[in-house]
Amino acid sequence: MSLYDDAVLVLKGYEDQTELRQAYLEHLAEHPNGLWKACHAGHITASALVIDPEGGRVLLTLHKKLQMWLQMGGHCEPGDAFLADAALREAAEESGVPGLSLLPGGPVRLDRHPIPPPCHCHFDVQYAAVAPPDATHAVSDESLDVRWFGYDEVADVADESVVRLLEATRARLSA
């Protein structure tokens, strides 16, 4: 199975955000290269909110280009066998935390957002990753900083998309 096939299966299996999910599927149907950065009409990205559920914290990165506190994530790469692999790889690369594991149940949310030219938008498939106890993090080349924030601090430092991702993650944890 190709990464494209996996992305379609993941999206078809995702039961929330029906209209947005359909827009993702239509984008992939119209753009067979819609997983790759080279697709200037927009492309699928994969991200993961790194959480410490026992400590009630999330690990966010201060993105170098955007200068915003965000979850870890980015572009799919040819070596990614599955969309979940891309999210987990990006989370590990950008956080420096080894031993992350994705929450079961597939993506937590979808978030489509505009990005600067030459591309038009990211179709982000958002997962949540649990950090091992006593995880240590490191700042990557793509970040200005990486820091733990209490659940109650996220709204003060991050935008609404991160707040919605945290809310959906907490709902998944309590289900």
Side-chain angles (χ1 to χ4, degrees):
M1 175 185 321
S2 70
L3 181 59
Y4 179 94
D5 293 335
D6 177 68
V8 170
L9 283 174
V10 165
L11 290 166
K12 284 183 176 180
Y14 180 72
E15 297 180 356
D16 295 327
Q17 299 176 272
T18 309
E19 286 182 30
L20 187 55
R21 177 187 60 139
Q22 188 58 37
Y24 279 48
L25 288 167
E26 288 171 6
H27 174 75
L28 286 174
E30 293 170 17
H31 304 281
N33 67 339
L35 282 163
W36 312 115
K37 190 176 182 178
C39 182
H40 294 305
H43 46 272
I44 302 289
T45 55
S47 67
L49 182 66
V50 176
I51 59 170
D52 167 18
E54 279 140 34
R57 305 179 303 166
V58 298
L59 187 63
L60 299 178
T61 179
L62 183 55
H63 194 277
K64 192 178 277 188
K65 287 182 184 175
L66 300 176
Q67 303 217 353
M68 297 171 61
W69 287 103
L70 301 170
Q71 75 276 10
M72 315 301 164
H75 298 103
C76 297
E77 294 181 1
D80 297 325
F82 302 99
L83 205 50
D85 290 348
L88 196 56
R89 175 187 49 74
E90 285 287 337
E93 286 175 2
E94 292 186 8
S95 70
V97 176
L100 295 172
S101 59
L102 293 181
L103 279 184
V108 175
R109 280 192 49 79
L110 303 176
D111 185 76
R112 180 176 55 188
H113 48 269
I115 58 170
C119 192
H120 296 296
C121 71
H122 278 168
F123 294 82
D124 197 29
V125 180
Q126 301 177 324
Y127 293 81
V130 179
D134 302 321
T136 57
H137 57 278
V139 177
S140 76
D141 291 342
E142 298 176 32
S143 302
L144 295 171
D145 196 2
V146 176
R147 189 179 312 163
W148 287 105
F149 293 94
Y151 291 164
D152 60 342
E153 297 174 299
V154 173
D156 294 332
V157 297
D159 72 3
E160 279 298 310
S161 70
V162 179
V163 172
R164 286 189 300 267
L165 177 55
L166 174 58
E167 289 169 356
T169 299
R170 292 181 74 186
R172 172 86 51 95
L173 285 168
S174 64

PDB file of all heavy atoms in Angstrom, residues 108-142:
ATOM      1  N   VAL A 108      -6.787  12.784  15.623  1.00  0.00           N
ATOM      2  CA  VAL A 108      -7.620  13.433  16.628  1.00  0.00           C
ATOM      3  C   VAL A 108      -8.455  14.541  15.977  1.00  0.00           C
ATOM      4  O   VAL A 108      -9.611  14.742  16.331  1.00  0.00           O
ATOM      5  CB  VAL A 108      -6.739  13.997  17.765  1.00  0.00           C
ATOM      6  CG1 VAL A 108      -7.557  14.773  18.766  1.00  0.00           C
ATOM      7  CG2 VAL A 108      -5.973  12.869  18.444  1.00  0.00           C
ATOM      8  N   ARG A 109      -7.859  15.244  15.017  1.00  0.00           N
ATOM      9  CA  ARG A 109      -8.540  16.355  14.331  1.00  0.00           C
ATOM     10  C   ARG A 109      -7.958  16.538  12.938  1.00  0.00           C
ATOM     11  O   ARG A 109      -6.878  16.037  12.630  1.00  0.00           O
ATOM     12  CB  ARG A 109      -8.316  17.681  15.074  1.00  0.00           C
ATOM     13  CG  ARG A 109      -9.168  17.910  16.270  1.00  0.00           C
ATOM     14  CD  ARG A 109      -9.103  19.342  16.787  1.00  0.00           C
ATOM     15  NE  ARG A 109      -9.274  20.379  15.804  1.00  0.00           N
ATOM     16  CZ  ARG A 109     -10.451  20.781  15.298  1.00  0.00           C
ATOM     17  NH1 ARG A 109     -11.554  20.219  15.657  1.00  0.00           N
ATOM     18  NH2 ARG A 109     -10.504  21.767  14.422  1.00  0.00           N
ATOM     19  N   LEU A 110      -8.647  17.351  12.161  1.00  0.00           N
ATOM     20  CA  LEU A 110      -8.147  17.863  10.889  1.00  0.00           C
ATOM     21  C   LEU A 110      -8.113  19.376  11.011  1.00  0.00           C
ATOM     22  O   LEU A 110      -8.972  19.969  11.665  1.00  0.00           O
ATOM     23  CB  LEU A 110      -9.075  17.469   9.734  1.00  0.00           C
ATOM     24  CG  LEU A 110      -9.342  15.977   9.532  1.00  0.00           C
ATOM     25  CD1 LEU A 110     -10.351  15.773   8.401  1.00  0.00           C
ATOM     26  CD2 LEU A 110      -8.063  15.215   9.273  1.00  0.00           C
ATOM     27  N   ASP A 111      -7.131  19.999  10.379  1.00  0.00           N
ATOM     28  CA  ASP A 111      -7.056  21.459  10.398  1.00  0.00           C
ATOM     29  C   ASP A 111      -6.461  21.936   9.078  1.00  0.00           C
ATOM     30  O   ASP A 111      -5.298  21.671   8.787  1.00  0.00           O
ATOM     31  CB  ASP A 111      -6.199  21.949  11.564  1.00  0.00           C
ATOM     32  CG  ASP A 111      -6.221  23.465  11.670  1.00  0.00           C
ATOM     33  OD1 ASP A 111      -7.238  24.005  12.142  1.00  0.00           O
ATOM     34  OD2 ASP A 111      -5.231  24.102  11.267  1.00  0.00           O
ATOM     35  N   ARG A 112      -7.271  22.628   8.294  1.00  0.00           N
ATOM     36  CA  ARG A 112      -6.799  23.207   7.028  1.00  0.00           C
ATOM     37  C   ARG A 112      -6.494  24.672   7.281  1.00  0.00           C
ATOM     38  O   ARG A 112      -7.332  25.407   7.797  1.00  0.00           O
ATOM     39  CB  ARG A 112      -7.871  23.041   5.951  1.00  0.00           C
ATOM     40  CG  ARG A 112      -7.453  23.614   4.602  1.00  0.00           C
ATOM     41  CD  ARG A 112      -8.493  23.352   3.539  1.00  0.00           C
ATOM     42  NE  ARG A 112      -9.788  23.864   3.969  1.00  0.00           N
ATOM     43  CZ  ARG A 112     -10.918  23.641   3.318  1.00  0.00           C
ATOM     44  NH1 ARG A 112     -10.941  22.908   2.231  1.00  0.00           N
ATOM     45  NH2 ARG A 112     -12.055  24.146   3.767  1.00  0.00           N
ATOM     46  N   HIS A 113      -5.282  25.081   6.916  1.00  0.00           N
ATOM     47  CA  HIS A 113      -4.904  26.470   7.161  1.00  0.00           C
ATOM     48  C   HIS A 113      -4.050  27.001   6.010  1.00  0.00           C
ATOM     49  O   HIS A 113      -3.306  26.256   5.389  1.00  0.00           O
ATOM     50  CB  HIS A 113      -4.159  26.605   8.502  1.00  0.00           C
ATOM     51  CG  HIS A 113      -3.084  25.600   8.688  1.00  0.00           C
ATOM     52  ND1 HIS A 113      -3.293  24.375   9.292  1.00  0.00           N
ATOM     53  CD2 HIS A 113      -1.780  25.616   8.346  1.00  0.00           C
ATOM     54  CE1 HIS A 113      -2.171  23.686   9.310  1.00  0.00           C
ATOM     55  NE2 HIS A 113      -1.233  24.414   8.742  1.00  0.00           N
ATOM     56  N   PRO A 114      -4.178  28.298   5.738  1.00  0.00           N
ATOM     57  CA  PRO A 114      -3.389  28.905   4.659  1.00  0.00           C
ATOM     58  C   PRO A 114      -1.917  28.995   5.068  1.00  0.00           C
ATOM     59  O   PRO A 114      -1.599  29.098   6.250  1.00  0.00           O
ATOM     60  CB  PRO A 114      -4.006  30.293   4.497  1.00  0.00           C
ATOM     61  CG  PRO A 114      -4.662  30.576   5.803  1.00  0.00           C
ATOM     62  CD  PRO A 114      -5.053  29.254   6.387  1.00  0.00           C
ATOM     63  N   ILE A 115      -1.074  28.934   4.060  1.00  0.00           N
ATOM     64  CA  ILE A 115       0.365  29.114   4.284  1.00  0.00           C
ATOM     65  C   ILE A 115       0.892  30.077   3.222  1.00  0.00           C
ATOM     66  O   ILE A 115       0.248  30.293   2.195  1.00  0.00           O
ATOM     67  CB  ILE A 115       1.135  27.772   4.248  1.00  0.00           C
ATOM     68  CG1 ILE A 115       0.936  27.058   2.914  1.00  0.00           C
ATOM     69  CG2 ILE A 115       0.720  26.886   5.403  1.00  0.00           C
ATOM     70  CD1 ILE A 115       1.845  25.875   2.739  1.00  0.00           C
ATOM     71  N   PRO A 116       2.068  30.646   3.460  1.00  0.00           N
ATOM     72  CA  PRO A 116       2.615  31.607   2.494  1.00  0.00           C
ATOM     73  C   PRO A 116       2.924  30.952   1.142  1.00  0.00           C
ATOM     74  O   PRO A 116       3.190  29.764   1.071  1.00  0.00           O
ATOM     75  CB  PRO A 116       3.910  32.086   3.167  1.00  0.00           C
ATOM     76  CG  PRO A 116       3.743  31.764   4.611  1.00  0.00           C
ATOM     77  CD  PRO A 116       2.873  30.548   4.677  1.00  0.00           C
ATOM     78  N   PRO A 117       2.890  31.745   0.049  1.00  0.00           N
ATOM     79  CA  PRO A 117       3.218  31.231  -1.289  1.00  0.00           C
ATOM     80  C   PRO A 117       4.609  30.611  -1.302  1.00  0.00           C
ATOM     81  O   PRO A 117       5.430  30.967  -0.466  1.00  0.00           O
ATOM     82  CB  PRO A 117       3.178  32.484  -2.165  1.00  0.00           C
ATOM     83  CG  PRO A 117       2.321  33.455  -1.412  1.00  0.00           C
ATOM     84  CD  PRO A 117       2.523  33.141   0.040  1.00  0.00           C
ATOM     85  N   PRO A 118       4.861  29.662  -2.194  1.00  0.00           N
ATOM     86  CA  PRO A 118       4.088  29.385  -3.406  1.00  0.00           C
ATOM     87  C   PRO A 118       2.906  28.441  -3.184  1.00  0.00           C
ATOM     88  O   PRO A 118       2.106  28.250  -4.082  1.00  0.00           O
ATOM     89  CB  PRO A 118       5.114  28.718  -4.321  1.00  0.00           C
ATOM     90  CG  PRO A 118       6.014  27.984  -3.392  1.00  0.00           C
ATOM     91  CD  PRO A 118       6.100  28.859  -2.161  1.00  0.00           C
ATOM     92  N   CYS A 119       2.781  27.842  -2.058  1.00  0.00           N
ATOM     93  CA  CYS A 119       1.682  26.922  -1.793  1.00  0.00           C
ATOM     94  C   CYS A 119       0.468  27.711  -1.304  1.00  0.00           C
ATOM     95  O   CYS A 119       0.585  28.879  -0.952  1.00  0.00           O
ATOM     96  CB  CYS A 119       2.102  25.887  -0.755  1.00  0.00           C
ATOM     97  SG  CYS A 119       0.948  24.530  -0.623  1.00  0.00           S
ATOM     98  N   HIS A 120      -0.678  27.070  -1.271  1.00  0.00           N
ATOM     99  CA  HIS A 120      -1.884  27.746  -0.819  1.00  0.00           C
ATOM    100  C   HIS A 120      -2.319  27.321   0.580  1.00  0.00           C
ATOM    101  O   HIS A 120      -2.747  28.148   1.363  1.00  0.00           O
ATOM    102  CB  HIS A 120      -3.028  27.520  -1.805  1.00  0.00           C
ATOM    103  CG  HIS A 120      -2.763  28.105  -3.151  1.00  0.00           C
ATOM    104  ND1 HIS A 120      -2.624  29.445  -3.365  1.00  0.00           N
ATOM    105  CD2 HIS A 120      -2.586  27.516  -4.354  1.00  0.00           C
ATOM    106  CE1 HIS A 120      -2.377  29.676  -4.639  1.00  0.00           C
ATOM    107  NE2 HIS A 120      -2.348  28.518  -5.262  1.00  0.00           N
ATOM    108  N   CYS A 121      -2.219  26.022   0.870  1.00  0.00           N
ATOM    109  CA  CYS A 121      -2.665  25.606   2.194  1.00  0.00           C
ATOM    110  C   CYS A 121      -2.100  24.247   2.580  1.00  0.00           C
ATOM    111  O   CYS A 121      -1.623  23.491   1.737  1.00  0.00           O
ATOM    112  CB  CYS A 121      -4.189  25.588   2.287  1.00  0.00           C
ATOM    113  SG  CYS A 121      -4.997  24.283   1.380  1.00  0.00           S
ATOM    114  N   HIS A 122      -2.152  24.011   3.881  1.00  0.00           N
ATOM    115  CA  HIS A 122      -1.830  22.709   4.450  1.00  0.00           C
ATOM    116  C   HIS A 122      -3.130  22.044   4.861  1.00  0.00           C
ATOM    117  O   HIS A 122      -3.997  22.673   5.475  1.00  0.00           O
ATOM    118  CB  HIS A 122      -0.944  22.856   5.692  1.00  0.00           C
ATOM    119  CG  HIS A 122       0.495  23.045   5.387  1.00  0.00           C
ATOM    120  ND1 HIS A 122       1.395  23.426   6.343  1.00  0.00           N
ATOM    121  CD2 HIS A 122       1.204  22.903   4.238  1.00  0.00           C
ATOM    122  CE1 HIS A 122       2.601  23.508   5.799  1.00  0.00           C
ATOM    123  NE2 HIS A 122       2.507  23.203   4.526  1.00  0.00           N
ATOM    124  N   PHE A 123      -3.272  20.794   4.502  1.00  0.00           N
ATOM    125  CA  PHE A 123      -4.373  19.957   4.941  1.00  0.00           C
ATOM    126  C   PHE A 123      -3.788  19.083   6.049  1.00  0.00           C
ATOM    127  O   PHE A 123      -3.308  17.983   5.791  1.00  0.00           O
ATOM    128  CB  PHE A 123      -4.887  19.083   3.792  1.00  0.00           C
ATOM    129  CG  PHE A 123      -5.533  19.844   2.672  1.00  0.00           C
ATOM    130  CD1 PHE A 123      -4.788  20.444   1.669  1.00  0.00           C
ATOM    131  CD2 PHE A 123      -6.916  19.945   2.613  1.00  0.00           C
ATOM    132  CE1 PHE A 123      -5.394  21.122   0.620  1.00  0.00           C
ATOM    133  CE2 PHE A 123      -7.537  20.627   1.567  1.00  0.00           C
ATOM    134  CZ  PHE A 123      -6.773  21.218   0.566  1.00  0.00           C
ATOM    135  N   ASP A 124      -3.774  19.586   7.268  1.00  0.00           N
ATOM    136  CA  ASP A 124      -3.077  18.914   8.359  1.00  0.00           C
ATOM    137  C   ASP A 124      -3.938  17.816   8.975  1.00  0.00           C
ATOM    138  O   ASP A 124      -5.087  18.041   9.341  1.00  0.00           O
ATOM    139  CB  ASP A 124      -2.681  19.927   9.434  1.00  0.00           C
ATOM    140  CG  ASP A 124      -1.618  19.403  10.378  1.00  0.00           C
ATOM    141  OD1 ASP A 124      -0.795  18.559   9.964  1.00  0.00           O
ATOM    142  OD2 ASP A 124      -1.602  19.834  11.538  1.00  0.00           O
ATOM    143  N   VAL A 125      -3.351  16.630   9.088  1.00  0.00           N
ATOM    144  CA  VAL A 125      -3.971  15.501   9.774  1.00  0.00           C
ATOM    145  C   VAL A 125      -3.278  15.421  11.128  1.00  0.00           C
ATOM    146  O   VAL A 125      -2.075  15.183  11.209  1.00  0.00           O
ATOM    147  CB  VAL A 125      -3.811  14.192   8.977  1.00  0.00           C
ATOM    148  CG1 VAL A 125      -4.465  13.031   9.720  1.00  0.00           C
ATOM    149  CG2 VAL A 125      -4.398  14.353   7.576  1.00  0.00           C
ATOM    150  N   GLN A 126      -4.046  15.663  12.190  1.00  0.00           N
ATOM    151  CA  GLN A 126      -3.471  15.875  13.517  1.00  0.00           C
ATOM    152  C   GLN A 126      -3.697  14.664  14.436  1.00  0.00           C
ATOM    153  O   GLN A 126      -4.827  14.225  14.626  1.00  0.00           O
ATOM    154  CB  GLN A 126      -4.079  17.120  14.152  1.00  0.00           C
ATOM    155  CG  GLN A 126      -3.832  18.366  13.320  1.00  0.00           C
ATOM    156  CD  GLN A 126      -4.483  19.598  13.900  1.00  0.00           C
ATOM    157  OE1 GLN A 126      -5.564  19.550  14.461  1.00  0.00           O
ATOM    158  NE2 GLN A 126      -3.800  20.729  13.762  1.00  0.00           N
ATOM    159  N   TYR A 127      -2.614  14.183  14.984  1.00  0.00           N
ATOM    160  CA  TYR A 127      -2.614  13.075  15.925  1.00  0.00           C
ATOM    161  C   TYR A 127      -2.204  13.609  17.302  1.00  0.00           C
ATOM    162  O   TYR A 127      -1.864  14.776  17.451  1.00  0.00           O
ATOM    163  CB  TYR A 127      -1.605  12.010  15.493  1.00  0.00           C
ATOM    164  CG  TYR A 127      -1.958  11.287  14.213  1.00  0.00           C
ATOM    165  CD1 TYR A 127      -1.687  11.853  12.968  1.00  0.00           C
ATOM    166  CD2 TYR A 127      -2.549  10.033  14.254  1.00  0.00           C
ATOM    167  CE1 TYR A 127      -2.006  11.182  11.793  1.00  0.00           C
ATOM    168  CE2 TYR A 127      -2.862   9.340  13.083  1.00  0.00           C
ATOM    169  CZ  TYR A 127      -2.590   9.926  11.866  1.00  0.00           C
ATOM    170  OH  TYR A 127      -2.909   9.257  10.707  1.00  0.00           O
ATOM    171  N   ALA A 128      -2.206  12.728  18.283  1.00  0.00           N
ATOM    172  CA  ALA A 128      -1.654  13.044  19.605  1.00  0.00           C
ATOM    173  C   ALA A 128      -0.658  11.949  19.955  1.00  0.00           C
ATOM    174  O   ALA A 128      -0.906  10.766  19.692  1.00  0.00           O
ATOM    175  CB  ALA A 128      -2.754  13.122  20.654  1.00  0.00           C
ATOM    176  N   ALA A 129       0.469  12.345  20.524  1.00  0.00           N
ATOM    177  CA  ALA A 129       1.521  11.407  20.904  1.00  0.00           C
ATOM    178  C   ALA A 129       1.789  11.544  22.395  1.00  0.00           C
ATOM    179  O   ALA A 129       1.919  12.655  22.910  1.00  0.00           O
ATOM    180  CB  ALA A 129       2.791  11.685  20.110  1.00  0.00           C
ATOM    181  N   VAL A 130       1.891  10.410  23.048  1.00  0.00           N
ATOM    182  CA  VAL A 130       2.156  10.390  24.486  1.00  0.00           C
ATOM    183  C   VAL A 130       3.668  10.279  24.702  1.00  0.00           C
ATOM    184  O   VAL A 130       4.329   9.406  24.125  1.00  0.00           O
ATOM    185  CB  VAL A 130       1.433   9.210  25.164  1.00  0.00           C
ATOM    186  CG1 VAL A 130       1.738   9.175  26.653  1.00  0.00           C
ATOM    187  CG2 VAL A 130      -0.067   9.308  24.932  1.00  0.00           C
ATOM    188  N   ALA A 131       4.197  11.172  25.527  1.00  0.00           N
ATOM    189  CA  ALA A 131       5.621  11.149  25.865  1.00  0.00           C
ATOM    190  C   ALA A 131       5.852  10.139  26.986  1.00  0.00           C
ATOM    191  O   ALA A 131       5.001   9.974  27.862  1.00  0.00           O
ATOM    192  CB  ALA A 131       6.078  12.536  26.307  1.00  0.00           C
ATOM    193  N   PRO A 132       6.989   9.470  26.961  1.00  0.00           N
ATOM    194  CA  PRO A 132       7.297   8.566  28.065  1.00  0.00           C
ATOM    195  C   PRO A 132       7.544   9.361  29.352  1.00  0.00           C
ATOM    196  O   PRO A 132       7.839  10.563  29.297  1.00  0.00           O
ATOM    197  CB  PRO A 132       8.566   7.848  27.602  1.00  0.00           C
ATOM    198  CG  PRO A 132       9.143   8.684  26.526  1.00  0.00           C
ATOM    199  CD  PRO A 132       8.031   9.503  25.940  1.00  0.00           C
ATOM    200  N   PRO A 133       7.409   8.708  30.509  1.00  0.00           N
ATOM    201  CA  PRO A 133       7.678   9.412  31.773  1.00  0.00           C
ATOM    202  C   PRO A 133       9.088  10.022  31.767  1.00  0.00           C
ATOM    203  O   PRO A 133      10.017   9.443  31.214  1.00  0.00           O
ATOM    204  CB  PRO A 133       7.568   8.310  32.827  1.00  0.00           C
ATOM    205  CG  PRO A 133       6.766   7.231  32.174  1.00  0.00           C
ATOM    206  CD  PRO A 133       7.049   7.309  30.699  1.00  0.00           C
ATOM    207  N   ASP A 134       9.204  11.184  32.350  1.00  0.00           N
ATOM    208  CA  ASP A 134      10.496  11.884  32.464  1.00  0.00           C
ATOM    209  C   ASP A 134      11.161  12.151  31.114  1.00  0.00           C
ATOM    210  O   ASP A 134      12.391  12.155  31.011  1.00  0.00           O
ATOM    211  CB  ASP A 134      11.449  11.108  33.381  1.00  0.00           C
ATOM    212  CG  ASP A 134      10.880  10.902  34.768  1.00  0.00           C
ATOM    213  OD1 ASP A 134      10.233  11.838  35.288  1.00  0.00           O
ATOM    214  OD2 ASP A 134      11.040   9.799  35.325  1.00  0.00           O
ATOM    215  N   ALA A 135      10.363  12.376  30.086  1.00  0.00           N
ATOM    216  CA  ALA A 135      10.906  12.654  28.752  1.00  0.00           C
ATOM    217  C   ALA A 135      11.720  13.942  28.775  1.00  0.00           C
ATOM    218  O   ALA A 135      11.335  14.924  29.403  1.00  0.00           O
ATOM    219  CB  ALA A 135       9.770  12.776  27.743  1.00  0.00           C
ATOM    220  N   THR A 136      12.841  13.917  28.099  1.00  0.00           N
ATOM    221  CA  THR A 136      13.635  15.129  27.911  1.00  0.00           C
ATOM    222  C   THR A 136      13.500  15.549  26.451  1.00  0.00           C
ATOM    223  O   THR A 136      13.435  14.703  25.561  1.00  0.00           O
ATOM    224  CB  THR A 136      15.120  14.899  28.258  1.00  0.00           C
ATOM    225  OG1 THR A 136      15.629  13.840  27.453  1.00  0.00           O
ATOM    226  CG2 THR A 136      15.282  14.554  29.723  1.00  0.00           C
ATOM    227  N   HIS A 137      13.442  16.839  26.218  1.00  0.00           N
ATOM    228  CA  HIS A 137      13.257  17.348  24.870  1.00  0.00           C
ATOM    229  C   HIS A 137      14.473  18.151  24.436  1.00  0.00           C
ATOM    230  O   HIS A 137      15.336  18.478  25.252  1.00  0.00           O
ATOM    231  CB  HIS A 137      11.988  18.200  24.793  1.00  0.00           C
ATOM    232  CG  HIS A 137      11.985  19.348  25.757  1.00  0.00           C
ATOM    233  ND1 HIS A 137      11.632  19.212  27.075  1.00  0.00           N
ATOM    234  CD2 HIS A 137      12.307  20.650  25.588  1.00  0.00           C
ATOM    235  CE1 HIS A 137      11.723  20.375  27.674  1.00  0.00           C
ATOM    236  NE2 HIS A 137      12.136  21.264  26.794  1.00  0.00           N
ATOM    237  N   ALA A 138      14.515  18.454  23.138  1.00  0.00           N
ATOM    238  CA  ALA A 138      15.616  19.230  22.574  1.00  0.00           C
ATOM    239  C   ALA A 138      15.056  20.134  21.482  1.00  0.00           C
ATOM    240  O   ALA A 138      14.066  19.799  20.831  1.00  0.00           O
ATOM    241  CB  ALA A 138      16.678  18.305  21.995  1.00  0.00           C
ATOM    242  N   VAL A 139      15.698  21.256  21.282  1.00  0.00           N
ATOM    243  CA  VAL A 139      15.296  22.202  20.244  1.00  0.00           C
ATOM    244  C   VAL A 139      15.884  21.727  18.916  1.00  0.00           C
ATOM    245  O   VAL A 139      17.074  21.456  18.819  1.00  0.00           O
ATOM    246  CB  VAL A 139      15.795  23.624  20.582  1.00  0.00           C
ATOM    247  CG1 VAL A 139      15.445  24.598  19.472  1.00  0.00           C
ATOM    248  CG2 VAL A 139      15.205  24.083  21.909  1.00  0.00           C
ATOM    249  N   SER A 140      15.018  21.628  17.888  1.00  0.00           N
ATOM    250  CA  SER A 140      15.476  21.206  16.562  1.00  0.00           C
ATOM    251  C   SER A 140      15.877  22.424  15.733  1.00  0.00           C
ATOM    252  O   SER A 140      15.670  23.562  16.146  1.00  0.00           O
ATOM    253  CB  SER A 140      14.360  20.435  15.846  1.00  0.00           C
ATOM    254  OG  SER A 140      13.376  21.335  15.369  1.00  0.00           O
ATOM    255  N   ASP A 141      16.373  22.159  14.539  1.00  0.00           N
ATOM    256  CA  ASP A 141      16.752  23.238  13.620  1.00  0.00           C
ATOM    257  C   ASP A 141      15.552  24.054  13.157  1.00  0.00           C
ATOM    258  O   ASP A 141      15.704  25.169  12.688  1.00  0.00           O
ATOM    259  CB  ASP A 141      17.464  22.665  12.389  1.00  0.00           C
ATOM    260  CG  ASP A 141      18.829  22.095  12.723  1.00  0.00           C
ATOM    261  OD1 ASP A 141      19.377  22.431  13.791  1.00  0.00           O
ATOM    262  OD2 ASP A 141      19.343  21.304  11.901  1.00  0.00           O
ATOM    263  N   GLU A 142      14.347  23.476  13.269  1.00  0.00           N
ATOM    264  CA  GLU A 142      13.146  24.153  12.808  1.00  0.00           C
ATOM    265  C   GLU A 142      12.498  24.991  13.906  1.00  0.00           C
ATOM    266  O   GLU A 142      11.478  25.628  13.669  1.00  0.00           O
ATOM    267  CB  GLU A 142      12.137  23.122  12.298  1.00  0.00           C
ATOM    268  CG  GLU A 142      12.654  22.335  11.112  1.00  0.00           C
ATOM    269  CD  GLU A 142      11.687  21.261  10.667  1.00  0.00           C
ATOM    270  OE1 GLU A 142      10.465  21.462  10.806  1.00  0.00           O
ATOM    271  OE2 GLU A 142      12.155  20.235  10.180  1.00  0.00           O
TER     272      GLU A 142
END
